Amino acid sequence: MTKIIVDGTEVDVPADYTLLQACEAAGAEIPRFCFHERLSIAGNCRMCLVELKGAPKPVASCAWGVKDCRPGPNGEPPTVVTKSPMVRKARNGVMEFLLINHPLDCPICDQGGECDLQDQAMAFGVAGSRFHENKRAVEDKYIGPLVRTSMNRCIHCTRCVRFTAEVAGTGDMGAIGRGEDMEITTYLETSMGSELQSNIADLCPVGALLQKPYPFKARPWELTKTETIDVMDALGSAIRVDARGKEVVRVLPRINDAVNEEWISDKTRHIADGLKAQRLDQPYVRKNGRLAPATWNEAFAAIAAKMKVAKHERIGAIAGDLAAVEDMYALQQLMVKLGVKNLDCRQDGTALHPRLGRASYIFNPTVVGIEDADSLWIIGSNPRRESPVFNARIRKRWRMGNFPINMIGEHAELTYPVTYHGAGTETLSGFVDRAEVTGERPIVLLGQGALTRADGVAVLALAVKLAHKLGAIKDGWNGFGVLHTAAARVGGLDLGFVPGEGALTAQQMAASGALDVVFLLGADEIDVAPGAFVIYQGSHGDRGAHRADVILPAAAYTEKPGLYVNTEGRVQRGDRAAFPPGDAREDWAILRALSEVVGAKLPFDSHRALRESLVTAHPHFADIDAIAPGNVGDLDAVASLGGSLDKAPFRSVIDDFYLTNPIARASAVMAECSAMHANALRQTTAAE
């Protein structure tokens, strides 16, 4: 630790701190535009000037290290002043220069009300400008369907350039020209290719980069802000949902260093229009081959009539990928009361099962633990497509250095270099035979592309064996982890929402003639063969609703409170940001009302009572934002499992990142992104 005096207060800070960090540790507020805690230091804007005793002029505190400060003449600690007249004058001068070319169009700028330049101009601006020349004009650039540009406002902080180069890993943005002719743009003004590109709109301290699907929708003070959890993938990113009246207008990230830091994927951010499109707002019952609007009583009566004549072994229930834990628990309790054992939350057919132990289906190293690892093996996964923010964490560790990444499976273009070894089980088996300890903390990451096959159990056993051989499973470190793609999957496995003894899996339930009645709880990624009576409970008119004989309209994830468990086993709590449309209701409330009609009344009348029942049965759901670790000993039993292996190559379970669930498929913005991405894959760009 190093002593430094800031505005008369002596503080101890690490020697590798910058002056800006040291000043903030002492409680001083330092204005800045270009500096960002998660990006490299640029020192462009000079807004963070401070007075350093002994220096001939003000210094940029973001780019000056504490270890570079000289002590006083008698050995006293370095002294920094942040509020002196010289500092004030210097910052006023910097602000005057920044506003020379800025258009000052705050009344029509979407950044108004949450703009760093606006805030700091109030503190350091002056009443007028001494410059009378014409302002610089810059042509707006097309950089894709998600980010809108107004480059007259750009102050060249280069946050966007550093983000795409360092965090996203695509290097889409850059600067051309010099001096007054400098402009920020993409290469040949093409679309950005990152799945994280919209984060640059959050990083931009002025209104130069804005969310394109959110033009002139609302001012920040008009919005109701709700902190909740993302369900577009299994990472469980912390988000804030902003609603105006009944409509969700935008989704923004929240800081959570343990999960997503402060980034979210483009799908998480821009599915807001999908929340109001193709919504189910009233019950439907199929009559004479066509779905017709019905009342809740008519829909429940149709269901009760079918369940009354069906044998319990001919009834099944499948939970979808976006279901909250409470909803699956309510459905599970209803089926148990009816004597039904055909339950499954694994509509993709993954081999994971709670009987193998929690350690076999969560990401045991944890997301933060990636930064402590010294090597990584990716098997049957494409993290960039399956969880872009998780992929950014891997890239962050790679940028720290000395982090070899090996890959077996689909030869994907990730945002970091990998050593590609092969495509399938033959390669994996070969490495298991000759693997040896190569580091202190290796990670073996197993994706759903290796688990949703007929030989999934055998592949799981092989991956655990590889982890043992590499030294990834030992006292103090469990480096075996599974990357999920469905937000509801770990929660469903924790509940035991899987087939009972001798019961059918989701794939078997969907087969022709397997069941008489199938209940789909938001399950849209599975096709039920003709013959069964299908009850679909969900929020959107997607594949499940098209196949259904009875439709029960439910709330989307932003319209209900609920618990979710992310891929590392962390219990997270979502909250209601808006209310469902029309006659749609929360899933648990629908199931509670239905249970009374079918003669299996559930023992709760409120969401609070439901959660209390859930926590009584599964206590770990009470520990919000905590991870219940898996038993490492269970992995020894998994490694002993055998089975024949298929020689087919591993393949990622996600073909189109933008259209993975009913909400995304209802979004016009996601459809545009999907079409643009498909077109980009068919084209090549030549350097000119």
Side-chain angles (χ1 to χ4, degrees):
M1 302 293 281
T2 303
K3 293 186 182 297
I4 187 169
I5 299 173
V6 179
D7 293 335
T9 302
E10 185 177 295
V11 293
D12 284 336
V13 297
D16 57 355
Y17 262 29
T18 63
L19 282 185
L20 188 150
Q21 292 171 306
C23 290
E24 294 200 332
E29 183 177 351
I30 306 296
R32 83 290 297 269
F33 290 116
C34 67
F35 177 79
H36 191 277
E37 291 80 0
R38 304 189 196 278
L39 302 176
S40 62
I41 295 171
N44 292 338
C45 71
R46 320 307 285 182
M47 197 67 205
C48 63
L49 293 173
V50 296
E51 182 181 353
L52 178 63
K53 294 297 183 180
K57 60 183 180 180
V59 300
S61 60
C62 73
W64 195 289
V66 170
K67 61 185 176 184
D68 299 324
C69 299
R70 293 193 306 180
N74 299 315
E76 57 266 33
T79 300
V80 178
V81 181
T82 67
K83 299 176 182 178
S84 68
M86 181 175 76
V87 171
R88 178 80 188 185
K89 184 178 180 180
R91 291 175 182 172
N92 287 352
V94 170
M95 180 58 66
E96 187 175 9
F97 274 105
L98 287 175
L99 296 179
I100 290 174
N101 287 312
H102 196 77
L104 307 179
D105 53 355
C106 302
I108 62 165
C109 178
D110 273 331
Q111 196 87 340
E114 49 190 8
C115 175
D116 292 346
L117 183 63
Q118 206 173 46
D119 295 340
Q120 294 183 35
M122 292 295 293
F124 302 103
V126 292
S129 174
R130 290 176 288 175
F131 292 87
H132 302 290
E133 292 80 5
N134 292 330
K135 290 182 180 289
R136 185 182 77 138
V138 181
E139 183 179 353
D140 292 341
K141 310 296 191 297
Y142 174 81
I143 59 175
L146 300 179
V147 179
R148 178 165 59 94
T149 60
S150 183
M151 302 312 290
N152 284 333
R153 302 167 184 161
C154 180
I155 62 170
H156 301 159
C157 71
T158 68
R159 281 186 180 183
C160 56
V161 177
R162 286 174 283 149
F163 174 82
T164 58
E166 297 166 12
V167 179
T170 55
D172 291 317
M173 303 288 285
I176 60 173
R178 300 181 67 184
E180 190 179 48
D181 296 324
M182 179 177 171
E183 299 180 17
I184 303 295
T185 181
T186 57
Y187 179 63
L188 300 180
E189 296 190 29
T190 55
S191 298
M192 290 187 286
S194 172
E195 296 81 7
L196 301 171
Q197 59 183 272
S198 294
N199 287 289
I200 65 174
D202 293 335
L203 290 172
C204 184
V206 297
L209 302 174
L210 299 165
Q211 297 183 35
K212 189 175 265 188
Y214 178 71
F216 313 118
K217 286 281 185 72
R219 287 298 194 185
W221 55 84
E222 299 177 299
L223 303 174
T224 302
K225 303 169 180 66
T226 305
E227 296 185 350
T228 185
I229 297 298
D230 171 51
V231 299
M232 292 297 107
D233 58 30
L235 184 62
S237 299
I239 59 173
R240 192 188 85 194
V241 177
D242 290 354
R244 187 181 186 187
K246 296 181 179 180
E247 180 184 354
V248 172
V249 294
R250 68 175 181 179
V251 178
L252 296 176
R254 288 189 293 122
I255 296 177
N256 186 343
D257 289 329
V259 181
N260 61 304
E261 297 186 306
E262 58 187 272
W263 320 123
I264 55 174
S265 72
D266 295 333
K267 181 167 58 178
T268 297
R269 185 186 300 268
H270 292 297
I271 48 78
D273 64 322
L275 288 168
K276 60 184 178 181
Q278 300 183 24
R279 289 303 301 268
L280 299 173
D281 58 1
Q282 65 180 29
Y284 289 84
V285 175
R286 192 175 295 276
K287 299 176 181 178
N288 300 321
R290 298 178 65 87
L291 287 168
T295 65
W296 280 104
N297 289 336
E298 290 172 341
F300 286 163
I303 295 171
K306 282 291 181 180
M307 286 193 166
K308 185 177 181 180
V309 299
K311 297 180 180 179
H312 62 82
E313 62 269 17
R314 299 283 295 176
I315 301 174
I318 302 173
D321 294 345
L322 308 183
V325 171
E326 295 96 327
D327 304 332
M328 290 187 285
Y329 178 72
L331 179 58
Q332 183 185 44
Q333 295 306 301
L334 174 59
M335 293 296 129
V336 168
K337 280 181 171 289
L338 294 172
V340 175
K341 295 183 179 180
N342 301 314
L343 306 174
D344 209 346
C345 63
R346 308 164 303 171
Q347 56 179 336
D348 59 0
T350 183
L352 301 173
H353 197 287
R355 69 167 177 265
L356 302 177
R358 198 169 198 252
S360 70
Y361 62 80
I362 64 173
F363 189 75
N364 295 282
T366 72
V367 175
V368 171
I370 294 173
E371 297 180 22
D372 297 325
D374 50 27
S375 65
L376 173 65
W377 287 78
I378 301 174
I379 303 171
S381 177
N382 180 345
R384 179 176 176 180
R385 212 184 292 166
E386 296 167 12
S387 184
V389 180
F390 183 92
N391 188 66
R393 184 77 74 152
I394 297 175
R395 175 176 168 79
K396 178 182 179 181
R397 173 61 187 89
W398 170 78
R399 291 186 69 242
M400 294 178 185
N402 193 26
F403 188 59
I405 303 174
N406 302 277
M407 190 168 192
I408 300 174
E410 183 178 309
H411 201 169
E413 182 181 348
L414 302 177
T415 57
Y416 37 81
V418 301
T419 302
Y420 183 73
H421 295 287
T425 54
E426 290 182 331
T427 304
L428 179 58
S429 298
F431 272 103
V432 170
D433 293 337
R434 63 178 185 273
E436 57 186 26
V437 176
T438 56
E440 288 296 318
R441 291 185 175 90
I443 289 179
V444 174
L445 186 156
L446 186 61
Q448 299 305 307
L451 293 167
T452 54
R453 304 153 35 114
D455 61 349
V457 173
V459 174
L460 174 62
L462 266 182
V464 174
K465 287 179 183 176
L466 177 63
H468 277 294
K469 288 284 190 73
L470 294 172
I473 302 174
K474 57 189 175 184
D475 290 341
W477 178 255
N478 185 349
F480 175 78
V482 175
L483 179 59
H484 288 271
T485 56
R489 188 61 46 77
V490 177
L493 293 172
D494 282 350
L495 286 174
F497 200 101
V498 292
E501 189 67 32
L504 304 179
T505 65
Q507 304 292 323
Q508 293 169 334
M509 284 187 255
S512 178
L515 296 176
D516 295 331
V517 179
V518 179
F519 196 108
L520 302 180
L521 180 62
D524 291 277
E525 315 306 322
I526 190 167
D527 295 318
V528 180
F533 182 84
V534 176
I535 305 155
Y536 176 78
Q537 180 175 317
S539 60
H540 285 70
D542 205 73
R543 290 161 59 183
H546 293 168
R547 170 63 184 86
D549 295 287
V550 174
I551 295 176
L552 305 177
Y557 75 103
T558 57
E559 298 160 358
K560 61 183 179 182
L563 298 178
Y564 299 89
V565 187
N566 77 348
T567 194
E568 59 180 347
R570 184 184 302 273
V571 179
Q572 300 174 297
R573 181 173 58 210
D575 208 348
R576 178 194 292 116
F579 287 89
D583 286 337
R585 297 291 183 268
E586 294 179 25
D587 289 281
W588 75 267
I590 296 172
L591 292 166
R592 167 62 181 82
L594 176 62
S595 69
E596 200 158 0
V597 176
V598 298
K601 184 178 178 181
L602 294 173
F604 42 78
D605 295 318
S606 66
H607 185 266
R608 181 176 181 177
L610 166 59
R611 188 170 287 179
E612 288 175 353
S613 176
L614 168 68
V615 169
T616 300
H618 305 277
H620 75 281
F621 285 117
D623 298 327
I624 305 300
D625 205 36
I627 302 173
N631 184 358
V632 178
D634 292 335
L635 293 177
D636 296 332
V638 172
S640 65
L641 298 174
S644 59
L645 294 168
D646 189 342
K647 294 184 178 180
F650 300 136
R651 187 171 178 273
S652 174
V653 294
I654 294 180
D655 294 322
D656 191 335
F657 164 73
Y658 297 102
L659 303 177
T660 56
N661 59 64
I663 302 175
R665 288 192 286 269
S667 168
V669 177
M670 291 296 98
E672 183 179 358
C673 291
S674 175
M676 181 199 68
H677 180 68
N679 186 54
L681 292 177
R682 293 192 293 267
Q683 295 180 350
T684 56
T685 302
E688 296 182 0

